[in-house]
Amino acid sequence: MHVAGLPLRGHILANYIAGRVANDKALPEAERERILSEYANIAAANVAMAVPLVRSARTIFVGHDKSLNVMQKLMQPGSSGVNLSYGNMRFVPTETSSAHATFQLDGALASLTLRPYLSGKAFGCHRDKADAYVRVIADGKDVYAAWLSPKTFRLVTLDVRGVDALDVVVDNGVEASGDSGCARVMLKVPQMLCYDASCVQPGPYRDQLAPSSRILTNDPMRADIEHLASMRPLAKRRVSGKMSNLRWMLSRQVAKQQGYGSFKAQPDAQLFMHPGVDHAAWIDFDVSGLSRIELTPRINKLDHKCLSLDTPKQRVGIVDVRFILDGKLLRKPIVVDRDFASNVALQVDGGHTLRISVTKHGPVNWCDWFSVGFPELDGPAAPTGVNAAH
């Protein structure tokens, strides 16, 4: 719709509202028809109204048949773990380092569409469980970040007006993975808008506009719908970055008991806590002044060695998690395995000490690589920051 010159602001929301109205049987038929008729008129007017893509600046559309050549030309020396494969850019991170490419735009691009996806099956890889973490950084600022799995589809159009340098970074997303070859990411460039056919001349908005794009922390096929269902008024939401939230929570740590290995803050803003053989790994936080906490319990990607230990009778990478507020269970314990992808919301109004306790689920604790993050903290004491829901 954006490329076609159609307005997006409010259009998607209006479409959603119209759908809700059309299916609301509690509304009188005449009222439903009136609202839907008004919506149809507004939609028709929107389509009839032309909207310039990049103010009044003239841009040149470059399709997928030429865009990769442009990106090759803009790629800078020093990129690592990146090569060409069948008309795509292929990023292959190692066990200890990211795959990384820098593109020197010099303000020559207006917009850039990217489609990252996991490549086909690699020898010895368990592709059904593989994943990778992709970040796009414009002039030192994160403008896009997303997890990839074999079943996810990612397509993002970035506003890159005024951007000088664009970095694409691909990680396994796990501290120690012996299965690093499974995180091969192919990057397609379906289209771009340039100020100049060669995409090497500075554009008219250099240094005037900051790039912006939504940062995805969950798979939209599941988490976004759940997030919409739990939305509260934005004025009541005080949300900072996920890593800032993790640091803030760790600053209010009261006590802890390690399981198998040390607790560790991961680059993806998850706190790693492996349960022990005969005891739980737990950590206590002072949650005074918080009303609500949203958490992301996860099992990190397992390496090839761990996956080889997994059998139907003896599963690995599965734990029991308990949330205890001032000595009382907040909710029923949950089982977190490698397919767990939901967020968990806890109401902690009036509470003081929150304990997150993790124990092995089966007879062994091998490769129970559990981690937890804190994407949202609400309440008077919560750290302030840019509202991620805006």
Side-chain angles (χ1 to χ4, degrees), residues 1-8 45-55:
M1 291 177 70
H2 179 72
V3 171
L6 300 178
L8 285 175
N46 280 342
V47 173
M49 180 176 58
V51 176
L53 285 178
V54 188
R55 296 186 181 178

Side-chain angles (χ1 to χ4, degrees), residues 120-164:
K121 291 188 177 181
F123 179 76
C125 290
H126 295 261
R127 299 301 298 150
D128 58 326
K129 299 301 180 185
D131 62 4
Y133 191 60
V134 178
R135 295 170 59 212
V136 181
I137 305 163
D139 290 338
K141 174 185 176 183
D142 279 13
V143 293
Y144 181 75
W147 283 98
L148 299 180
S149 74
K151 297 181 180 179
T152 53
F153 179 88
R154 303 293 189 205
L155 185 68
V156 59
T157 297
L158 301 173
D159 183 348
V160 292
R161 290 173 288 182
V163 173
D164 286 324

Side-chain angles (χ1 to χ4, degrees), residues 195-340:
Y195 291 111
D196 181 84
S198 63
C199 290
V200 295
Q201 298 300 319
Y205 297 114
R206 183 185 177 113
D207 298 328
Q208 290 184 18
L209 294 173
S212 62
S213 175
R214 182 179 179 197
I215 294 179
L216 296 176
T217 56
N218 298 101
D219 187 344
M221 290 186 289
R222 177 182 297 181
D224 280 9
I225 296 174
E226 294 176 356
H227 183 67
L228 282 172
S230 64
M231 282 287 287
R232 295 181 293 121
L234 295 181
K236 296 182 181 179
R237 299 168 64 87
R238 303 181 65 187
V239 184
S240 63
K242 190 177 175 183
M243 182 59 82
S244 298
N245 287 350
L246 175 58
R247 293 194 185 103
W248 188 85
M249 290 293 290
L250 289 175
S251 73
R252 302 188 74 171
Q253 173 187 311
V254 177
K256 68 180 179 181
Q257 175 177 277
Q258 292 183 176
Y260 182 76
S262 303
F263 288 25
K264 190 175 295 184
Q266 300 177 165
D268 59 351
Q270 293 275 116
L271 178 65
F272 182 81
M273 43 192 301
H274 195 304
V277 177
D278 55 359
H279 65 278
W282 56 258
I283 186 167
D284 289 348
F285 296 108
D286 177 8
V287 294
S288 304
L290 296 182
S291 58
R292 177 181 177 275
I293 301 176
E294 188 169 313
L295 306 97
T296 51
R298 298 288 185 266
I299 296 294
N300 289 353
K301 177 188 170 186
L302 303 186
D303 62 19
H304 183 68
K305 182 178 179 181
C306 283
L307 291 173
S308 68
L309 301 173
D310 191 35
T311 67
K313 292 184 179 180
Q314 187 169 278
R315 296 183 63 192
V316 300
I318 178 170
V319 299
D320 293 325
V321 184
R322 291 171 173 80
F323 303 102
I324 303 165
L325 184 64
D326 296 333
K328 296 181 180 180
L329 274 173
L330 269 179
R331 52 169 294 161
K332 292 181 180 179
I334 61 173
V335 177
V336 178
D337 60 14
R338 285 172 282 153
D339 295 322
F340 192 91

